[in-house]
């Protein structure tokens, strides 16, 4: 399995910028170096939660590293890389002696994580991608380089809607509205920051007139598992509603699981419109 080495470091120029004019640059004895090696990310089987399948980290579109002062929870540094960047997977610098919370993220999608608040990591537009993380509390108290392994674990649940049958040729968007979950992530607990309803809209123009519909709505949960309700609405380019369906029968949701619904989203009211669901660990 290919390994990616992430070398945690905080540039001294960034750290000393927070000091007053009376502060002095830390001496070598006051600075330690920590390296983190992200060896993989994990997905757990639904049938056997103790059995994990591992995947290469470089399959993820983005990696983030953030370091926070453990006492103040203030962010010291945030570095971001995209898959394909030169040196993808390597972060480097040094930390003055002290205690820190270190958060590593790996995720898909096109947006960058906003990590200023360790208890409310989020994305613009209430977006939530397929999302993996690891959090460690470290103490830097010696100048020698210290190495630690990191395993990124999935922190989201997914409502996956799969529909067969012809989609309308004027289909423009598909919106999901949930009555719970969260689009803010608390890295200290590994769960959603708070319960909050959310609506997210996907561009569906590429599947207009296609024979399939497949969208995954990711969310953070505030507990390991729960039940939620969803409303899914399809609209045309003029904003007219083409079809709305409610999934209000307490949809089971679980961290690191995909709740998959299959059926006929655009079927006539008198036709086949029933759905079945599968709670899947892949």
């Amino acid at each position: 399995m290919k390994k990616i080495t992430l070398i945690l470091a905080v540039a001294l120029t960034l750290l000393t910028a927070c000091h007053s004019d009376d502060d002095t640059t830390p001496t070598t004895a006051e600075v330690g170096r920590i390296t983190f090696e992200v060896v993989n990310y994990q997905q757990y089987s639904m049938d056997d939660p103790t059995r994990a399948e591992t995947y290469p980290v470089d399959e993820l579109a983005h990696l983030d590293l953030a370091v926070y002062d453990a006492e103040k929870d203030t962010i010291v540094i945030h570095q971001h890389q995209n898959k394909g960047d030169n040196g993808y997977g390597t972060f480097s610098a040094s930390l003055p002696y002290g205690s820190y919370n270190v958060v590593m993220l790996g995720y898909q999608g096109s947006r960058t994580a906003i990590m200023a608040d360790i208890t409310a990591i989020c994305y613009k537009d209430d977006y939530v991608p397929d999302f993996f993380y690891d959090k460690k509390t470290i103490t830097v108290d010696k100048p020698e380089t210290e190495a630690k392994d990191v395993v990124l674990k999935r922190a989201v649940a997914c409502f996956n809607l799969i529909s067969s049958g012809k989609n309308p040729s004027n289909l423009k968007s598909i919106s999901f509205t949930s009555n719970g979950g969260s689009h803010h992530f608390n890295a200290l607990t590994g769960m959603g920051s708070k319960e909050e309803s959310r609506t997210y809209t996907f561009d569906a123009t590429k599947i207009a007139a296609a024979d399939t519909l497949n969208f995954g709505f990711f969310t953070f949960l505030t507990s390991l598992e729960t039940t939620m309700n969803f409303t899914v609405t399809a609209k045309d380019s003029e904003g007219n509603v083409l079809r709305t369906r409610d999934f209000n029968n307490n949809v089971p949701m679980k961290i690191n699981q995909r709740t998959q619904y299959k059926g006929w989203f655009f079927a006539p009211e008198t036709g086949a419109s029933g759905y079945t669901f599968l709670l899947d660990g892949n």
Side-chain angles (χ1 to χ4, degrees), residues 164-182:
S164 300
K166 198 76 169 178
N167 298 331
S169 60
N170 58 343
L171 178 62
K172 172 65 176 179
S173 66
I174 298 284
S175 296
F176 287 72
T177 298
S178 66
N179 71 334
S182 181

Side-chain angles (χ1 to χ4, degrees), residues 52-184:
E53 297 179 355
T54 59
Y55 301 85
V57 173
D58 55 0
E59 291 184 6
L60 296 171
H62 311 281
L63 293 172
D64 281 81
L65 178 146
V67 182
Y68 304 84
D69 183 292
E71 294 183 0
K72 301 177 182 179
D73 281 338
T74 52
I75 192 166
V76 176
I77 193 170
H78 175 201
Q79 295 184 5
H80 171 83
Q81 292 183 351
N82 300 312
K83 180 179 178 180
D85 287 349
N86 291 333
Y88 182 70
T90 300
F91 300 84
S92 59
S94 300
L95 285 166
Y97 285 5
S99 296
Y100 302 91
N101 286 317
V102 180
V103 178
M104 293 267 193
L105 304 183
Y107 51 93
Q108 307 292 9
S110 58
R111 293 170 174 79
T112 302
I114 300 169
M115 302 184 70
D117 185 347
I118 193 173
T119 67
I121 296 170
C122 62
Y123 297 82
K124 290 183 178 179
D125 304 321
D126 297 345
Y127 174 74
V128 178
D130 197 4
F131 178 101
F132 299 77
Y133 91 107
D134 188 57
K135 177 262 179 184
K136 295 182 182 297
T137 299
I138 65 170
T139 299
V140 179
D141 57 5
K142 55 186 177 182
E144 294 84 7
T145 298
E146 184 177 356
K148 298 178 184 293
D149 286 343
V150 172
V151 175
L152 298 175
K153 303 169 288 292
R154 178 177 274 129
V156 289
C158 179
F159 175 71
N160 184 200
L161 179 64
I162 300 175
S163 174
S164 300
K166 198 76 169 178
N167 298 331
S169 60
N170 58 343
L171 178 62
K172 172 65 176 179
S173 66
I174 298 284
S175 296
F176 287 72
T177 298
S178 66
N179 71 334
S182 181
H183 55 274
H184 293 86

